[in-house]
Amino acid sequence: MPITAFEGPAGTGKTYNLIAELCVRLRNRALASHERVLALTFMHGARRRLDQQLRQIRELDCRFQAVTLDSFAWKLVQRWRRLASSLGYALPAEENYDDTCALAAKLMARPTIKSWIRLSYPILVVDEAQDLSFERSAMISAATDSCHVLLAFDEFQCLDPGLRPMAIHSWLTNLCTPTSLTQCRRTDVNELLEAAHAIRNGQAIRHDGSRFKVAITPSTVLAATYLANAISWRGGGTLAVLTPSRAGGFVNEVISMVQRQPLGRQRSGPYPIQWEGSDESDHREICGALRIPERCTVAEAIAHLDQHMNTPVVKALKEWVIRQRRVLGLEEISVDQIHRFLKRSFTARRRHAGNRQSQLLAMTIQQAKNREFDHVVVIWPYTVPNDNEQKRRLLYNALTRAQQSCLVLVQAQRLLNQPPFSS
């Protein structure tokens, strides 16, 4: 089956072109009543964005399924688990995502499942394909035998060194020549466009613009004052504080100071900046606070949970523990069971999270992927441990989240003489 691919820098409309190409194909060949468009991504942020776009296509009439690759792989393996067992494959645990995707790719190469995919999903849309591991890339490769694949990627936006070079290159180059996109649709601010181009090409960047500026802020007070002023002067809209690293405490201290007191001559603030937690950090924090023994009775587990009922996920956990006792007759429960439930809960939270966001957010650059904000402030501390190439990718991804302005606060003058700020 054919494949159509788009590649280009951030903001050049890769998703836009995916949707436009899909609309053309739907006008040329309408879906039958039993058919759906399948949309797959690795990250939930990209999945939600695709879901929004697909809902607006009149010809599609909501006949689509937008899920993560991990979710689709799990459902496929469960649907065809008897076939997998008959072929001698062991069924991976639900949380073993890589092995599940690897097994799904093998099953998708089987004639029976090829026919099922061909009849169910004549078109497959894949966004942000640079983030796919070998196992997930193998799933897309297998799907090219069964349906028309529309795919978008930008290798430079891959922030995981372990995924480079891109896995899709192993088969994509033999199937099609991707369409290269160059016109930026996210912003028309020249200073932002020029800075992004320079970082991407390993060139020195200008520091003194009005819409893109780099400031040296060696002290917490100075950095916090710059941040408070940026919030005050932004003129409305969303503002995200992004950082490549929270290690060392500098970034946390800056945010905390802006949260709790007015700063500068203008006495700007305090401002209610919200840290956006990650699943891993939230999981570690809750597990550490619960202090549940390796194995305990249900009653003991409930007693531990009752001390943290102000947290929604703990309320759900308590209900689940009680249900295990009532339905299954369990009188003991292990900490591993508790942890598995929490992981499933955080996955579900990410899957179903809404698109509303606070006006003032703080997060890592990795968390900001697939997002857009009116204004971005990047805090660049000493503690950025990656190599020069990775630093360029991180700053590029941070800068290209901005639509109107970007301010970069650098902790030390000497950092300006190194990538990503210099060639």
Side-chain angles (χ1 to χ4, degrees):
M1 300 292 285
I3 181 170
T4 303
F6 300 95
E7 65 173 334
T12 52
K14 295 182 290 296
T15 305
Y16 172 89
N17 279 273
L18 283 180
I19 298 300
E21 182 68 21
L22 174 61
C23 290
V24 170
R25 295 191 172 277
L26 291 174
R27 285 193 289 269
N28 292 337
R29 191 270 203 194
L31 295 176
S33 59
H34 63 279
E35 294 177 330
R36 298 289 184 274
V37 168
L38 179 61
L40 299 177
T41 65
F42 172 57
M43 302 180 72
H44 279 286
R47 178 196 62 79
R48 287 193 293 269
R49 184 176 63 177
L50 261 187
D51 184 272
Q52 282 184 326
Q53 299 278 352
L54 293 171
R55 290 182 185 278
Q56 299 174 17
I57 301 177
R58 184 178 58 185
E59 296 90 345
L60 194 52
D61 193 27
C62 288
R63 285 184 292 173
F64 68 89
Q65 183 179 356
V67 295
T68 63
L69 277 144
D70 292 349
S71 176
F72 180 75
W74 173 253
K75 292 176 181 178
L76 185 144
V77 167
Q78 291 302 304
R79 181 187 181 103
W80 301 95
R81 59 186 179 275
R82 291 186 178 178
L83 174 60
S85 296
S86 69
L87 294 171
Y89 296 121
L91 297 181
E94 183 175 1
E95 63 272 14
N96 196 332
Y97 304 119
D98 287 345
D99 287 352
T100 300
C101 289
L103 177 54
K106 293 174 182 176
L107 293 175
M108 290 169 71
R110 306 293 301 182
T112 300
I113 301 181
K114 280 186 179 181
S115 298
W116 171 70
I117 294 175
R118 188 177 297 113
L119 290 171
S120 303
Y121 306 111
I123 301 176
L124 168 60
V125 179
V126 183
D127 203 3
E128 305 291 346
Q130 73 274 358
D131 294 325
L132 303 187
S133 65
F134 173 81
E135 296 83 1
R136 295 170 182 87
S137 172
M139 290 175 59
I140 307 304
S141 177
T144 60
D145 291 333
S146 308
C147 54
H148 187 101
V149 176
L150 307 178
L151 182 145
F153 66 96
D154 177 21
E155 193 275 342
F156 196 73
Q157 290 189 70
C158 177
L159 297 183
D160 184 350
L163 298 180
R164 302 198 295 263
M166 287 193 309
I168 61 171
H169 272 324
S170 62
W171 51 267
L172 181 63
T173 53
N174 296 324
L175 298 178
C176 78
T177 300
T179 299
S180 294
L181 307 174
T182 57
Q183 181 182 358
C184 185
R185 297 175 177 271
R186 179 168 296 156
T187 182
D188 58 1
V189 178
N190 285 333
E191 289 180 12
L192 296 179
L193 296 173
E194 290 172 1
H197 179 80
I199 295 169
R200 191 181 180 101
N201 289 281
Q203 302 167 349
I205 57 178
R206 292 184 56 186
H207 299 163
D208 56 354
S210 60
R211 307 292 285 276
F212 175 76
K213 182 176 181 178
V214 179
I216 308 302
T217 56
S219 72
T220 301
V221 174
L222 184 58
T225 302
Y226 265 101
L227 174 55
N229 289 338
I231 295 172
S232 175
W233 299 339
R234 76 188 191 280
T238 56
L239 183 144
V241 184
L242 308 182
T243 182
S245 172
R246 294 178 65 178
F250 180 75
V251 177
N252 291 341
E253 292 171 6
V254 171
I255 300 294
S256 178
M257 184 171 291
V258 175
Q259 289 171 330
R260 69 175 184 263
Q261 67 187 66
L263 292 159
R265 293 180 180 178
Q266 303 299 322
R267 307 305 291 166
S268 298
Y271 293 107
I273 302 173
Q274 299 179 19
W275 272 107
E276 187 163 283
S278 67
D279 291 347
E280 293 79 8
S281 61
D282 289 348
H283 182 263
R284 286 195 302 270
E285 181 179 352
I286 290 178
C287 289
L290 291 178
R291 298 183 181 277
I292 294 178
E294 287 294 324
R295 193 161 193 89
C296 61
T297 67
V298 168
E300 290 170 337
I302 292 174
H304 281 278
L305 298 178
D306 280 338
Q307 301 175 42
H308 305 275
M309 293 304 288
N310 58 329
T311 306
V313 70
V314 176
K315 292 180 181 179
L317 175 57
K318 178 182 176 180
E319 293 173 359
W320 176 79
V321 171
I322 293 173
R323 190 163 57 249
Q324 300 308 297
R325 180 172 60 183
R326 185 178 67 249
V327 177
L328 301 178
L330 293 182
E331 289 300 332
E332 286 191 344
I333 197 160
S334 70
V335 71
D336 286 341
Q337 290 173 298
I338 298 292
H339 289 181
R340 285 197 295 270
F341 175 87
L342 290 173
K343 286 183 179 180
R344 291 195 299 270
S345 297
F346 288 127
T347 298
R349 180 188 70 176
R350 191 171 66 247
R351 181 182 301 125
H352 300 296
N355 292 296
R356 293 178 297 175
Q357 61 185 22
S358 169
Q359 293 292 298
L360 300 174
L361 285 171
M363 66 191 77
T364 64
I365 294 172
Q366 289 85 347
Q367 288 176 286
K369 289 193 69 173
N370 310 310
R371 310 270 287 273
E372 295 178 357
F373 307 94
D374 296 307
H375 308 276
V376 167
V377 176
V378 183
I379 303 180
W380 196 271
Y382 287 120
T383 54
V384 184
N386 300 293
D387 60 24
N388 291 340
E389 171 69 11
Q390 183 70 355
K391 291 176 182 178
R392 288 172 50 228
R393 290 171 184 256
L394 286 166
L395 184 57
Y396 177 83
N397 272 270
L399 164 62
T400 54
R401 301 309 98 205
Q403 295 178 299
Q404 297 182 32
S405 72
C406 179
L407 169 65
V408 184
L409 306 178
V410 182
Q411 192 177 1
Q413 174 71 43
R414 64 177 177 80
L415 296 178
L416 289 187
N417 300 320
Q418 308 168 4
F421 303 102
S422 66
S423 57

